[in-house]
Amino acid sequence: SPLLPESMRFIACFALVCAIASVGHAFFHVPLPISSFVAPTSFSATSSQLRLRQPMNLCMGDSMLDGILERKRKEVEELKANPPEGATALLEGKKIKGGKFAKAVKKPKGTVSVVPQIKAQTPAGSYNLNNMDPVIMSAHCYEAGAHAMAVCVDKDAYGLDYDDLKRAVKQQACYKGNFPSPLPIMAFDFFVDPIQLAVAADAGANAVNLNMKILDDSLPDMLKTCDQLGLDAVVQVHNSEELKAACEAGAKIVGVTNRDYDTWGRKDEVDGIERLWFKPVEETVFGLISEVPDGVIAMAMGGVNETLMAWTLRDAGYVSVMVGEQAMLGSQSQQSQTSYSAGFNEMKGIIMAFRSKGSKKYGPTATASFYGKGEGAKEELGMISI
């Protein structure tokens, strides 16, 4: 308006431009870039601490997994040459009662449990969170209402180890006597031998992941050792043959995994705009849900990073989902604060949104709910709305 002083006209125009940019950002569902995040007060993530990294330098094998397995076999040889006292005692001791993890993740159809996967980096090099504190991550998982959690313990692949697992377990012990109870914790590793399972149990893990692509015929023996140690086993499967073999071996929890171990990418890729797979869910690896026998807990794993994905998997019949990268990046950052809105911890919002009973039909894409639109918005904006 010509009636306004020149300085006021400038301020009004600047505010209008900012508002238009904000609306456009939400309308096209573009996720916030990492560079726009600021760290929470409990963690200061500098540009050197939160950065893209190069894939692991693997010297042996034709795929990333081959190189990892060669290294794990050497680790097993060292463990057997000098077995930890606590692990040996567990293997030779009485059978331990388990079931905490299975009980926590098992939900009625139409609802879904959420299991955040704690890791400081990925084998493919998609990110690297230096100085990531597993104690803070453990607390975030509990406060957000996660049903269980997983801590990756392969240092070379994921940047964390069993000392980090012990710290996360110790943090959960602080909630003993509270409601909800402390979260059961999975040790996520590349398990090839029973001695590794004993090390996980000795560190305080309640569950482990057993990968059918790695174990194959040795799965029954590994399941037997898990039963002895009181560990729930999530058996990772990637196709119909592996699923059938896992169930025949006695698997009580199967983790249908959308992972290509040659590249560490997704077997079924995701549409960056729609935030869902390019194919209908029943045509992806997650379509294996129709073959999971009654009484076996079905968990979806691998690239489940959006709310609409979690709801789609829930509606397909999955009762649990594991979320990794998106939760980690969210936990280390806040949405940029402005004069009109406070920052919030995205990891907590993501977990709350995954758990919500939102409608896939009427809800927007997951990213839209970050901006307060549609079903799941209140949960995903958790730190503001509560």
Side-chain angles (χ1 to χ4, degrees):
S1 169
L3 299 179
L4 292 174
E6 183 176 353
S7 60
M8 291 297 291
R9 291 201 300 272
F10 174 80
I11 292 172
C13 290
F14 180 78
L16 180 60
V17 169
C18 291
I20 292 173
S22 177
V23 170
H25 192 64
F27 178 80
F28 289 106
H29 307 151
V30 180
L32 291 170
I34 292 174
S35 59
S36 70
F37 295 149
V38 295
T41 55
S42 56
F43 180 89
S44 178
T46 64
S47 59
S48 64
Q49 292 171 330
L50 178 57
R51 64 181 187 274
L52 298 180
R53 61 187 293 271
Q54 295 300 314
M56 294 172 58
N57 181 21
L58 302 177
C59 302
M60 300 183 181
D62 298 326
S63 71
M64 296 185 73
L65 184 60
D66 290 332
I68 291 172
L69 293 181
E70 184 67 26
R71 175 169 53 77
K72 299 309 286 188
R73 293 185 186 103
K74 291 180 180 179
E75 288 182 12
V76 167
E77 290 176 5
E78 294 172 1
L79 281 172
K80 289 184 174 180
N82 187 23
E85 184 176 337
T88 301
L90 287 172
L91 286 172
E92 297 175 352
K94 296 180 179 180
K95 181 178 177 180
I96 300 171
K97 182 179 179 181
K100 289 184 179 179
F101 188 92
K103 183 179 180 181
V105 300
K106 183 178 181 180
K107 296 294 174 186
K109 284 192 174 182
T111 57
V112 68
S113 63
V114 183
V115 183
Q117 185 188 50
I118 309 303
K119 51 191 175 185
Q121 64 191 40
T122 67
S126 55
Y127 68 88
N128 187 347
L129 305 174
N130 289 347
N131 301 324
M132 193 271 283
D133 191 340
V135 173
I136 295 175
M137 300 300 104
S138 184
H140 284 339
C141 291
Y142 180 85
E143 293 164 4
H147 300 86
M149 59 182 288
V151 177
C152 298
V153 292
D154 186 293
K155 186 74 172 181
D156 288 355
Y158 296 110
L160 300 178
D161 56 24
Y162 276 107
D163 287 337
D164 296 305
L165 173 67
K166 291 175 183 176
R167 295 179 64 201
V169 170
K170 184 176 180 181
Q171 176 62 31
Q172 289 301 318
C174 297
Y175 308 122
K176 189 174 182 179
N178 293 357
F179 181 82
S181 302
L183 303 182
I185 298 180
M186 171 196 290
F188 195 96
D189 200 353
F190 303 94
F191 292 100
V192 297
D193 192 273
I195 188 67
Q196 295 171 284
L197 302 176
V199 171
D202 189 44
N206 307 106
V208 293
N209 63 303
L210 300 179
N211 195 323
M212 275 296 292
K213 191 172 181 66
I214 296 172
L215 297 174
D216 200 10
D217 293 341
S218 61
L219 178 64
D221 290 338
M222 294 289 276
L223 287 172
K224 184 177 179 181
T225 302
C226 286
D227 191 49
Q228 163 73 18
L229 297 172
L231 294 170
D232 291 320
V234 178
V235 181
Q236 293 176 260
V237 299
H238 313 81
N239 53 52
S240 184
E241 293 75 18
E242 289 183 356
L243 173 60
K244 182 179 179 181
C247 293
E248 289 177 350
K252 298 177 181 177
I253 311 174
V254 293
V256 178
T257 307
N258 184 21
R259 183 67 64 200
D260 181 343
Y261 290 105
D262 290 333
T263 64
W264 227 265
R266 287 184 279 251
K267 293 173 66 176
D268 291 299
E269 288 297 337
V270 175
D271 186 327
I273 301 298
E274 295 297 325
R275 304 297 174 183
L276 277 174
W277 305 274
F278 282 106
K279 299 181 289 187
V281 65
E282 60 270 14
E283 296 178 17
T284 70
V285 66
F286 295 117
L288 288 173
I289 184 64
S290 63
E291 302 177 31
V292 177
D294 292 340
V296 175
I297 299 170
M299 176 184 291
M301 307 169 69
V304 184
N305 288 327
E306 297 282 352
T307 307
L308 199 57
M309 287 182 185
W311 292 353
T312 301
L313 292 166
R314 174 203 65 196
D315 293 348
Y318 287 90
V319 297
S320 184
V321 295
M322 179 175 287
V323 54
E325 182 172 332
Q326 194 67 24
M328 288 301 92
L329 295 178
S331 186
Q332 299 294 315
S333 57
Q334 292 177 320
Q335 186 181 16
S336 299
Q337 300 188 39
T338 71
S339 302
Y340 303 100
S341 64
F344 65 94
N345 183 288
E346 293 167 13
M347 178 184 183
K348 296 181 182 179
I350 289 167
I351 294 171
M352 295 169 76
F354 275 29
R355 294 182 58 198
S356 68
K357 297 181 180 180
S359 165
K360 175 190 167 186
K361 180 177 180 180
Y362 298 108
T365 65
T367 309
S369 58
F370 268 119
Y371 304 97
K373 296 173 61 178
E375 297 190 45
K378 182 182 72 173
E379 288 80 4
E380 190 127 10
L381 290 171
M383 294 303 289
I384 294 178
S385 61
I386 63 174

